[in-house]
Every structure is written in C-alpha cells, then in structure tokens.
Amino acid sequence: MYQTTYHRASSVDEAASLFAKGSESKFLAGGQTLLPVMKQRLASPSDVIDLGRIKELQGVELSGDTLTIKAGTIYYDIMTNADVKKAIPAIAHLTSVLGDPAVRYRGTIGGSIANNDPAADFPAALLALGATVKTNKRSISAEDFFQGLFTTALEDGEIITAVSFPVPAKAGYEKMRHPASRFALTGVFVAQTKSGEVRVAATGASQSGVMRVPAIEAALKANWSPSAIDGVSISASGLLADIHGTAEYRANLVKVMAQRAVAAAG
Amino acid sequence: MGVEGIGASVVRKEDKRFITGKGRYVDDIKLLGMTHAHFIRSPHAHAKVKGIDSSAALKMPGVVAVLTGQQIVDDKVGNLICGWAITSKDGSPMKMGAWPAMAPETVRFVGQAVAVVIAETKNLARDAAEAVVVNYEELPAVADVHAAIKSGAPQLHPEAPGNQVYDWVIGDEGATDAAFSKAANVVKLDVTNNRLAPNAMEPRAAIADYDAAEEHFTLYTTSQNPHVARLVLSAFYNIAPEHKLRVIAPDVGGGFGSKIFIYPEEMVALWASKKVGRPVKWTGDRTEAFLTDAHGRDHVTHAEMAFDAQNKILGLKVKTYANFGAYMSLFSSSVPTYLYATLLSGQYNIPAIHAEVIGVYTNTTPVDAYRGAGRPEASYLIERLMETAARQLKVDPAQLRRSNFITQFPHQTPVIMAYDIGDFNASLDAAMKAIDYAGFPARKAKAKADGKLRGIGLSCYIEACGIAPSKAVGSLGAGVGLWESAEVRVNPVGTIEILTGSHSHGQGHETTFCQLVAERLGVPISQVSIVHGDTDKVQFGMGTYGSRSAAVGLTAILKAMEKMESKAKKIAAHALEASEADIVIENGEFKVTGTDKAIALPMVALAAYTAHNLPDGMEPGLKESAFYDPTNFTFPAGTYICELEVDSGTGKTSFVNFVAADDFGRLINPMIVEGQVHGGLVQGIGQALLEHAIYDASGQPVTASFMDYAMPRADDVPSFNLSHTTTLCPGNPLGIKGCGEAGAIGASAAVINAITDAIGTNNLEMPATPDRVWRTIHAA
Ligand SMILES: Cc1cc2nc3c(=O)[nH]c(=O)nc-3n(C[C@H](O)[C@H](O)[C@H](O)COP(=O)(O)OP(=O)(O)OC[C@H]3O[C@@H](n4cnc5c(N)ncnc54)[C@H](O)[C@@H]3O)c2cc1C
C-alpha cells in the first residue's frame, strides 16, 4: 500500500468537504474492494474518507410500498433485517449468497453499487426492481445509474446515501457462484411489480455489466412460470467468457437462473 | 498403555498456541537492525534481461541496497540443484538448464526474480522496486507441454534441445507388447492431471542473519526439512559451510511438499545479509506464492490396458508427458518417474507394465512434489482406466477390481515396488458396505425420476510411503539417504525431551510423538516435549514429506527409546538389587516383576546424573540417539467411493456421500489421522472439481490470486464417512504405514468416476467445473 491520509467522517456533509480537500480522495465503506486494490498498489488515493461511522448512512426503513436501505448498511444487517425479509425476501436471499461471511460483515450496498463490478449481485436487484439511488445531491434511477463496467452516474465526490426499492408483488434471485471469488458467474433477478410489469436483470453475464433481459421479460409477462422460459433463446454474443465459464455457458445460465428465480419467487 | 498412549485420540498439544494466535512463525520474528527484501520479478514468461538501472532507486528513502542477478553470479553463488539424477532410455543424463538464484541474463517464467531491493521497511523496499528500471527483450514463450516439444517451439535452455529434460522408461517393453498381442480387449484412455498451486496457509518467508565476527549465518525459514536446507545450501551454493550455518524452521503453517525445496529467496537472503551486514527478512505475499512456490502435477498421459477374455489384466502401457516448468526444482525429476511409474500396478496383479515418461521444460513456474507427488497421478490414471474398462467390458466396476486384486503378499510388481502386505478386499468391502453399494441402482433410478443425474465412483488407491530405504533410493539416483534420526533426553528430574529430525508443519508431532513415550513409559504426555526444526538443537534429520514422519521418524525415536530404556533398566536393577531381566516399566516406574519393589523414573534419571551409585563402568547420563533407515517403503491402501448428483441445467456437482476405508497400519492418534484424511480428501476433491493453475499461450499465469484460483471451501465438500481396515506394516516395529497423503491420492478418481457415471461419458478432464460438465452433457 502507498502512503495515504485517513479521515473518519461523522456526517455526510463532513465527508463531502473532506473529499473536496484532498487531491485524489476516495471514500471508504466496507473496504472489501478498495482495500485489496490499494494493497496491490493499483490505487493510490491521497486521502481516504471513511464513511463507516456515519449514523445517517446506517439502517433500513419500510414505509408503505418503499423499502429504503441506507448506503452504509452491511450485507449481514440487510440479510437479517425483519423489514427486508418481509417486504422483499429476495434481497435477503441475495445478501445471503453474496461473497463469504467476512465480506458480508464488512461490505455495504453503497460500496457495491458505487463500484458496479460486472459480476456484483446488487446491481441486478436494483435494475430489476426499478430502484432509485439517493445521493447527497440527487436521485438517480437504477437504469441511469449503472453505465457499464465499473462505471456509474456518480460524479466525483458524490456520496450515495440510500437505495429505495419499490416493494414488488413477486421477486426472486438465483445465482451461480463463481467457484473462486463467489461473485456471480451469472445471477438473475426477476420481479413482478405491483402494477404487473415484469423486469428481469442479469449480472455476471454481459461484457457491458448488468443488463435487462427483454426476451425473458416478454415470456414471463405472458406467463409467470419457469416453463415459460423454456423456449427463450439467449444469444452468447456480447457475453463474458473466462476460465470459469464460456459465453455459451453464461447464456445458458441466464435462462436457467431466471427459471429458478421465478420458481423461488412463487 | 494408559489413556495417552498409542491409539488414543489425545487432543493436540500444539493447538493451544495455534488457536490462540501464539504460534511463532518466521514472519513473527524481528531481529535488531533487520532490513527487508522485496524482489523484482519478471512480468514476462521469457525474455532477455538487457539491463537493470537502479540509480534512481538507490536514492530513495530507506534503501540499503539493490542487488542483481549478475552480482550473485559474480559472487559465485551456485545454481540451484536438482537432487535426483534420472537417466534417459538412451543412457544420457537428464538435461539440466542452469538456474541462478536471480536471473542475470534470461528469465524463463513470470515471477522469476532478477533483482532484490533491501530497505529499512518492506514498504520502502516496494517503493524503491518501482523505481528500478529493468530493460527486457521479450522472447517467444511456450507454456503447453505439447506445444513445447513441437519442432520450431521456443527453446528454453541450450542444454536441453527440444525442451526435453529426459525420456525415461520403466518395465519390460517386450513382455508388455506380448501381453497386448494376446489381449481379448484393450481399453484406452487419455488423461490430463491438472497443474495445482499448493497454497500453504503461511506464505514462504526467510530471515538471514550474518554474524561477521563469527563468520556465521543463521537462517529462519519456512522449511519442512531444515537439515536438508542446510546441507544443500552449504554443499552446493557456496554460501556458508555447514558448521557456520544454523537453519531454524519454527512454526510452519502448512507445506504440502512446497516447503521441501530450497528456493532462490533463501539463498538471496543469506547472501544479501552478508553483503549489507545486517539481517535481511523476506516474507512472500500470496501472489508471490502463486508465482514461485513449486506447483504440483501437470501430466498429460495416454494409457492402454489389455485384458484377457476373463477380464483379467494382461498388461499396461503408459506414455506420460510431465511439464516441469522452466527449471528443475529440487526433487522434481523423481516425481513423474520413481514416485509415479513405480505405482502404476495399483492394487492389481498386472503381469507386464511398460511406461515412458518425457520430462519437458515450459515457460511456467517450476513443478515439484505436492501432497502425494506422483502417486496421485498414478492412482488417478489406473482408477480412471479401471472404471472405463468396467464400462467397456460391461462388468460391475467393483467386481472388475476385485477379480484383479493382488491377494498374496509379499507381491513383486513389474515396476520395482514390492508390496509387503495389504487386504484390498477388506477395504473395498468396508467402503461398499458404508455407502450401501447394493442399493445404488435403486437410488439412481429414484434420482432419475426426480430429474437428477446421479453417479457413483470408486477409487482403490495404493501408495508408497515411509520414504524411503536409503540404499534403494540411492540406486535409483537419489542424492540423499532417506533415514531419520532421533534423540531421547531424560532430564535429571525425569521429564523427557525428544529431539527429532522430522518437522511438524500441521501434522501434530508434538502430540503423537509424545504418545509413543506415554505408551512405553506410562508417563503423561505433559511430561514430554518434542524438539524439532533447529539444526543447532537436533543432530540431523531428513524432514517431513512422503508420509514418513511416523513410519520412519517415530521408528527412529523408538530405537532411541529402546536404548535409553535398556540403560535405565540397568540403573533400576542396580538400585533395586534385582536382575535387569526382571525389570518392567509401568506407569512411570521401573518394577521388579512379581514384587512390589519399584523405583520411579525421576529417581532413575537422578541416579543417572548424580552418578553416585551407578553400575560399574556405566557412563553417567540418560540420553540416547538413533538413526533408523527403513528396509522398504510402506504401502497404505484403501477404497474411496463417492456418490453425487449433477445438475444438468448448470453442470454443478453436489455430493450425496463420500466414504473412505483406509489401511494405514497402526494408528497412533485416530483423531489426528482423521484430520489428515479430511485434509487430503479435500485437496483431492479440490483437484477434481475446482483447482487449476492455468497459463495462457504466452505463458502469462491466469490464476495468480484466490479470486481466480478456486480453493475448496468447507461448503464445497461433503461430510466424510471414514473407517479403517488394518493390516500391520511388517517393515517397521510399530506396524505403521502412514496417512498424510492418502486422501489427496485417492479422492480425485472417485469424484471423476462418479461424475462420468452420472452423465454417461468416459471423457472428462479435471477440474470438472460446472461449465466443463455442462458442455460435456450438452455435447453428447
Ligand atoms: C472475497 C470477496 C468476495 C466477494 N464476493 C462478492 C459477491 O459475491 N457479490 C458481490 O456483489 N460482491 C462481492 N464482493 C465485493 C463486495 O461486495 C464489496 O463489498 C463491494 O464491491 C464494495 O463494497 P464496500 O462496502 O466494501 O466498498 P469499498 O470497498 O469500501 O468501496 C468500493 C468503492 O465504492 C466507493 N464507495 C463506497 N461507498 C460509497 C458511497 N456511499 N458513495 C459513493 N461511493 C462509495 C468507494 O470509494 C470505492 O471506490 C466480494 C469481495 C470480496 C473481497
């Protein structure tokens, strides 16, 4: 790791002003992505601003048909939260298969979506559920927020404060775990909104990050059942290929995971 | 004898310090004035080093020195050696490419060191390393064994034309051809034994401390065999004579073979410590471990097995290409030859065997012994062949094995090994019963009705352990003897220290070795301590690998114990005015048999050291040592059966059951044995399903971190169902065979045989990743 200056912020405003003072500042949440990268000397922030102790970034709220998860909430707290389990159990399940216990005790929803790894789990949930990302400056729809591999709509120094999910009628998430990292080799989140809209998002599959899967959405709109997807064909072109899965295999997984997610959603 | 003697599952003494974080590893040691080394490693698989400019680095804060490969050559530090000479079939010696500790001219794998920065802290050394400019001229590289032997392939070493290290044969080719000409059926199989990265939990580390006044070196290092390290460093590397070099291997966090070898980093640390006049510490990180710890396996094999009309094996032909990586590591040459081809008879009566092994250089990390070393490759091959044969011949795989088992012992195989004892039917029976083999077809049918692909796979492994009779290995080319030494010191107060040349890096010697003392003297194990891992304390030793510590190391302790007991009995007899022949040892006392006359061990010890009243002519003291050289290998064997299901939608495997029936001879501590089997099985399953050290065509490693290299986790493996069928080893007085490698040797074939049974194919390579299994199912 290179030399850096560590700051612990106690409020979002303080964090934003500390950030602005540094020449090349970085926010630190769970550190599960940032710290390994710094240890490998692949990142060298001048200042690291820790968001971990900011109270306003912690917690979950269920109000009417909206579930709000504050950005600094760790996966373990999301996984075990009663409101999450009641309103959108698919999110509780998603966090239970995210990484390993060490990652779940440190990693945060804000860090995950800010990082926008093409194989991260939460981006699929946000996109399928039509969530809204709240920052210290504005609200951004999930659709607009994720902009391809490791790229988001966030501006320099902008802080995610929370994510709001509309509570769906039905939702499910299934994931084939990457055998080494436990990220999604491919994960699919399916949702049926209360107004009857069907939204399906896949992560870990596409070369351009999290994506909607219109063919599966159409099939499920016509018939919300796993077998409705039997006839859908997913093209391997544009999909990721590496030592753990060919593009064809990932195309298959998009379909199979969608079927299992629908089965899980009921 | 007693609750802590042989056969008792005594809780491990060493675990208190390990579990509470009080273990003392090399990296925990800090010496006064210590500097830190960081190596500059090649990013290229093959390149010429045209120049190294360290001028900017030398001006950076905290930098003590930047030392290069040219300097190490100029100082006449020896090239790394390979300690087992193999002769090719044409009579020529193996072709050794020179391996300097840091490359002066040419780098041949990604991660090979070209220079080292020595600085006040590790971080300052890293900072300065980034300022060192190495000018490389890239050369074409080759990583794949088949590509490397093609004409026109990039050449690694001028000493080894065609990238060939050796072309070695074993067995009777004429007899094998004759057997095949009589065959009713021939079964053929191509298998790849995937390359593995050993991944001990503790990365390698070294601290070298040169004392200029005494001209003496101390090396703290992560070694499985500190005396071998001292011997090799002194005899071949021109760094320090043996009496001026102390090697200490303190707590070592796992080895699996990878810490047998003497690596460039230890050599450089010693040399650099003298050059800079201060202690030098190097602790590898995980990436360095992936790049530079000797890898394991990496064979490509074609094999054919001939059967007669009654399904009896007539002969076996094997041709194996072994990828050695860029250089020949310390024992690498022996792994695909004498540790592999000599086990190709498996548990079977095979009248004729012929095997050819071609060793090949590639631009990859050197390959050497890794848990099992050669024997997993042999066992995997034979057990895949037997399963394939059963399918081709349409016979039950258990029955095919049974009808070919060796049942008479001793048994001389056609490939050197003489099996001393075993009962292969007993372990097969035990495993079949444990898994309810007879009920499998019904379970498979039920699974099928539920839309699941279920399979069962057997693996009847045998291995040669207790490595090894010195005369035998010497005649085969080994550069060292493989005996073990021990010393028993009874202190004047009756406590006991056992000094052993074995080295514990996870095995639990501090407990099991005490159990032998408890057994013989009836004293609690708390009264005994085990001293190991320091060449200044322990007279000599060959270290721990090849499941040899109990069969060889503990037998050496037994020999020393016997000498000590004999002297102690004389002292006791003298004190009790009895005949030496009437003295028995019970519960820590020397008793006159049939009387109530007794003298406690501490009194005997005290008498030995006060020497006020010893038998005439007896030397004072109670301390004996012994060397033990085994007369044969030991042959642990057993049957593993795996039952699993494959998800046809994803290709993912889930275990239903895994049973292991092992014959390890006598067990010292069944709990520790169970732990050894669990660990071995997990490594075998890891090889079968997850692990693979991969290079791209240009020799760049693709799996140099845990984010890409899939290590098995607890939820990747089943709960194991273990049992033992025991035949005592006749070759050593304790009847021990060894248990450290069995799991890793036998497990992978059982897993692959079960998957291929489930999905109905014979051809499936390891690791059977979900992607690969899915593609196999859907290609069919
Ligand atoms: C072994 C391992 C396995 C993993 N497996 C999975 C997995 O299965 N699925 C998965 O989805 N992820 C996985 N991850 C990644 C994990 O989820 C990380 O926690 C996540 O990517 C980053 O979250 P963090 O809280 O740790 O953020 P940090 O690492 O602290 O930060 C990541 C980035 O986000 C920025 N950031 C953090 N919080 C904010 C904020 N509130 N506003 C603006 N920017 C912010 C930081 O500046 C930084 O650039 C794994 C990680 C590891 C190490």
Side-chain angles (χ1 to χ4, degrees):
Chain A
M1 199 180 276
Y2 295 105
Q3 290 277 354
T4 187
T5 306
Y6 171 88
H7 310 267
R8 179 179 290 164
S10 52
S11 71
V12 171
D13 287 344
E14 191 195 355
S17 76
L18 284 167
F19 188 98
K21 281 184 203 146
S23 61
E24 215 176 304
S25 303
K26 270 274 181 200
F27 295 120
L28 173 70
Q32 295 302 291
T33 296
L34 184 60
L35 294 182
V37 170
M38 287 174 65
K39 282 186 187 165
Q40 290 170 325
R41 298 185 156 225
L42 297 172
S44 52
S46 61
D47 295 78
V48 167
I49 295 122
D50 188 352
L51 308 175
R53 307 294 170 99
I54 301 179
K55 284 223 168 54
E56 57 198 294
L57 293 181
Q58 296 296 325
V60 175
E61 281 164 18
L62 178 61
S63 128
D65 269 348
T66 304
L67 179 76
T68 301
I69 304 178
K70 307 279 184 59
T73 314
I74 60 167
Y75 304 129
Y76 178 81
D77 288 346
I78 299 171
M79 177 179 117
T80 51
N81 182 279
D83 286 336
V84 174
K85 288 202 254 184
K86 186 173 102 192
I88 318 181
I91 287 185
H93 171 68
L94 175 148
T95 43
S96 77
V97 295
L98 193 160
D100 50 41
V103 171
R104 292 198 287 273
Y105 274 104
R106 299 295 307 177
T108 66
I109 184 171
S112 172
I113 62 172
N115 191 49
N116 193 19
D117 188 297
D121 296 294
F122 260 112
L126 268 70
L127 199 55
L129 291 166
T132 304
V133 178
K134 304 271 171 64
T135 76
N136 58 341
K137 295 185 177 148
R138 56 194 167 137
S139 289
I140 312 168
S141 75
E143 217 84 59
D144 295 334
F145 183 82
F146 298 112
Q147 301 187 342
L149 304 191
F150 300 103
T151 315
T152 66
L154 285 179
E155 283 159 13
D156 201 35
E158 189 171 3
I159 299 173
I160 302 169
T161 54
V163 181
S164 296
F165 297 93
V167 175
K170 289 176 175 181
Y173 181 66
E174 286 299 323
K175 162 188 187 182
M176 183 70 188
R177 288 173 151 204
H178 183 291
S181 72
R182 301 286 166 111
F183 272 90
L185 200 56
T186 287
V188 177
F189 203 106
V190 300
Q192 194 184 66
T193 66
K194 290 205 164 158
S195 60
E197 191 195 352
V198 172
R199 295 170 63 102
V200 174
T203 186
S206 167
Q207 289 170 9
S208 32
V210 64
M211 63 171 184
R212 298 273 294 270
V213 194
I216 293 180
E217 289 177 350
L220 290 176
K221 175 90 183 148
N223 172 15
W224 179 267
S225 81
S227 61
I229 304 169
D230 285 345
V232 175
S233 131
I234 304 289
S235 163
S237 98
L239 297 194
L240 290 164
D242 56 29
I243 56 169
H244 296 289
T246 54
E248 292 71 27
Y249 181 61
R250 283 186 163 87
N252 167 66
L253 285 180
V254 169
K255 211 171 130 171
V256 173
M257 291 300 118
Q259 288 176 313
R260 293 180 187 179
V262 172
Chain B
M1 194 194 280
V3 289
E4 296 181 327
I6 288 177
S9 287
V10 179
V11 170
R12 297 188 354 147
K13 287 171 84 171
E14 46 271 80
D15 281 348
K16 184 174 173 189
R17 73 173 187 280
F18 293 148
I19 289 169
T20 58
K22 300 283 192 251
R24 189 163 180 260
Y25 299 88
V26 173
D27 193 54
D28 295 323
I29 297 168
K30 292 173 181 65
L31 303 182
L32 202 64
M34 188 167 78
T35 63
H36 298 263
H38 182 74
F39 284 89
I40 298 171
R41 300 185 181 280
S42 171
H44 306 295
H46 200 187
K48 285 252 173 271
V49 181
K50 301 298 265 187
I52 299 178
D53 180 357
S54 42
S55 52
L58 283 166
K59 292 190 201 110
M60 290 185 57
V63 174
V64 176
V66 180
L67 305 173
T68 66
Q70 192 54 51
Q71 283 169 284
I72 208 163
V73 171
D74 291 346
D75 281 0
K76 306 211 165 24
V77 173
N79 289 332
L80 278 83
I81 62 151
C82 178
W84 196 309
I86 299 291
T87 306
S88 284
K89 64 181 179 188
D90 65 4
S92 63
M94 64 183 187
K95 312 280 194 300
M96 285 282 294
W99 186 7
M102 295 192 291
E105 269 173 19
T106 309
V107 286
R108 296 185 176 83
F109 66 97
V110 172
Q112 185 172 2
V114 295
V116 65
V117 179
I118 314 284
E120 297 296 339
T121 69
K122 184 80 179 174
N123 226 17
L124 290 171
R126 280 181 197 274
D127 287 345
E130 289 176 8
V132 175
V133 182
V134 185
N135 181 6
Y136 294 100
E137 176 190 316
E138 267 193 84
L139 297 171
V142 63
D144 176 78
V145 86
H146 283 312
I149 54 170
K150 285 222 177 77
S151 72
Q155 299 291 300
L156 272 83
H157 298 283
E159 300 89 342
N163 295 321
Q164 188 172 297
V165 181
Y166 54 62
D167 182 350
W168 173 88
V169 289
I170 190 171
D172 186 334
E173 188 167 22
T176 310
D177 285 342
F180 272 76
S181 68
K182 286 188 299 188
N185 289 292
V186 172
V187 176
K188 302 180 182 180
L189 193 67
D190 290 289
V191 300
T192 300
N193 207 289
N194 42 321
R195 177 186 280 240
L196 305 175
N199 276 318
M201 203 183 285
E202 179 206 19
R204 289 190 296 111
I207 303 173
D209 182 12
Y210 179 65
D211 178 336
E214 301 287 339
E215 296 179 0
H216 180 278
F217 291 87
T218 304
L219 175 68
Y220 301 85
T221 183
T222 48
S223 175
Q224 300 179 212
N225 33 232
H227 287 90
V228 175
R230 185 177 69 157
L231 172 68
V232 172
L233 286 163
S234 305
F236 299 99
Y237 299 153
N238 195 27
I239 292 177
E242 234 170 333
H243 67 303
K244 293 286 188 184
L245 173 60
R246 176 183 184 187
V247 178
I248 301 172
D251 282 331
V252 173
F256 312 114
S258 70
K259 292 174 183 167
I260 298 173
F261 325 118
I262 290 79
Y263 289 89
E265 290 84 359
E266 291 103 86
M267 298 166 61
V268 171
L270 284 167
W271 168 74
S273 165
K274 185 172 177 182
K275 272 202 124 49
V276 304
R278 289 169 63 182
V280 174
K281 177 190 245 183
W282 170 77
T283 302
D285 61 22
R286 186 57 61 183
T287 308
E288 288 179 298
F290 273 108
L291 296 180
T292 67
D293 290 5
H295 288 173
R297 322 273 192 259
D298 208 345
H299 285 191
V300 180
T301 298
H302 176 77
E304 301 188 7
M305 198 179 250
F307 287 86
D308 72 10
Q310 283 72 49
N311 298 332
K312 293 268 192 222
I313 306 170
L314 294 171
L316 172 68
K317 284 185 195 171
V318 173
K319 185 167 187 176
T320 293
Y321 292 89
N323 186 343
F324 281 124
Y327 299 97
M328 294 302 286
S329 173
L330 191 62
F331 288 113
S332 56
S333 56
S334 65
V335 174
T337 49
Y338 292 111
L339 295 176
Y340 164 70
T342 55
L343 271 304
L344 286 171
S345 197
Q347 297 190 356
Y348 312 107
N349 219 321
I350 307 183
I353 298 177
H354 184 256
E356 177 172 13
V357 179
I358 296 156
V360 180
Y361 284 118
T362 61
N363 294 109
T364 60
T365 297
V367 175
D368 205 326
Y370 165 67
R371 203 170 191 171
R375 293 151 292 163
E377 296 90 316
S379 180
Y380 179 70
L381 177 66
I382 297 305
E383 291 308 295
R384 286 284 312 276
L385 260 176
M386 290 306 278
E387 203 77 21
T388 307
R391 291 171 196 165
Q392 188 175 320
L393 305 173
K394 300 199 163 40
V395 289
D396 175 71
Q399 190 48 45
L400 181 68
R401 288 174 167 87
R402 199 185 286 287
S403 63
N404 283 287
F405 274 162
I406 295 161
T407 53
Q408 302 294 317
F409 296 91
H411 173 89
Q412 177 63 53
T413 72
V415 279
I416 298 178
M417 290 297 174
Y419 300 164
D420 51 3
I421 200 165
D423 186 345
F424 305 146
N425 277 305
S427 45
L428 179 61
D429 288 341
M432 287 171 71
K433 184 155 180 279
I435 206 154
D436 182 20
Y437 190 80
F440 176 74
R443 296 196 296 278
K444 184 172 176 114
K446 175 160 188 315
K448 192 173 177 195
D450 298 340
K452 302 265 177 56
L453 301 171
R454 190 176 279 223
I456 197 163
L458 283 81
S459 171
C460 298
Y461 75 90
I462 187 162
E463 50 163 331
C465 290
I467 290 172
S470 300
K471 209 169 154 184
V473 296
S475 74
L476 301 177
V480 288
L482 292 169
W483 41 263
E484 195 46 87
S485 91
E487 188 176 317
V488 175
R489 290 184 190 161
V490 183
N491 297 319
V493 290
T495 58
I496 298 162
E497 283 155 298
I498 301 286
L499 288 77
T500 170
S502 299
H503 184 276
S504 190
H505 33 279
Q507 291 83 350
H509 295 169
E510 289 168 48
T511 306
T512 47
F513 288 5
C514 293
Q515 288 182 252
L516 174 70
V517 179
E519 174 77 20
R520 296 193 64 89
L521 303 181
V523 298
I525 61 172
S526 59
Q527 210 168 306
V528 187
S529 53
I530 303 297
V531 178
H532 69 110
D534 184 339
T535 59
D536 264 14
K537 291 184 182 165
V538 179
Q539 180 195 340
F540 213 96
M542 296 311 297
T544 289
Y545 40 83
S547 306
R548 68 193 303 273
S549 300
V552 188
L554 194 59
T555 306
I557 295 172
L558 173 69
K559 298 283 176 194
M561 285 288 292
E562 285 171 352
K563 290 187 193 172
M564 180 281 290
E565 288 164 18
S566 159
K567 181 171 182 183
K569 280 183 179 173
K570 288 194 178 74
I571 298 170
H574 183 72
L576 297 169
E577 295 175 345
S579 153
E580 189 193 330
D582 290 338
I583 303 290
V584 292
I585 308 175
E586 268 171 32
N587 298 323
E589 288 187 328
F590 290 72
K591 290 187 176 155
V592 182
T593 183
T595 73
D596 59 0
K597 288 210 292 185
I599 175 169
L601 172 66
M603 299 313 293
V604 175
L606 196 61
Y609 286 94
T610 57
H612 295 161
N613 183 21
L614 290 176
D616 282 347
M618 180 183 273
E619 288 177 13
L622 196 52
K623 178 186 95 131
E624 297 289 345
S625 65
F627 283 68
Y628 171 69
D629 198 350
T631 52
N632 191 359
F633 292 87
T634 65
F635 297 95
T639 294
Y640 296 160
I641 309 181
C642 168
E643 185 170 333
L644 49 73
E645 280 181 357
V646 174
D647 178 338
S648 62
T650 62
K652 192 168 164 53
T653 298
S654 353
F655 288 98
V656 177
N657 201 351
F658 196 111
V659 304
D662 292 297
D663 180 356
F664 297 142
R666 190 179 312 284
L667 309 183
I668 308 294
N669 181 321
M671 178 197 71
I672 288 179
V673 170
E674 209 170 295
Q676 288 287 315
V677 177
H678 281 195
L681 290 173
V682 170
Q683 280 174 320
I685 290 171
Q687 171 164 33
L689 295 180
L690 297 158
E691 296 184 49
H692 194 184
I694 300 176
Y695 289 84
D696 72 12
S698 70
Q700 286 293 328
V702 180
T703 47
S705 89
F706 285 138
M707 294 307 255
D708 302 301
Y709 186 92
M711 286 292 278
R713 291 169 162 91
D715 67 352
D716 289 316
V717 297
S719 281
F720 300 109
N721 175 342
L722 309 187
S723 64
H724 299 280
T725 60
T726 299
T727 57
L728 293 178
C729 176
N732 61 64
L734 293 165
I736 290 169
K737 297 187 182 179
C739 67
E741 295 158 294
I745 289 169
S748 34
V751 175
I752 298 298
N753 286 340
I755 299 177
T756 54
D757 179 48
I759 67 176
T761 178
N762 286 327
N763 298 316
L764 180 68
E765 296 293 10
M766 299 190 289
T769 59
D771 172 40
R772 183 174 270 164
V773 172
W774 178 81
R775 281 185 283 123
T776 307
I777 295 172
H778 295 276

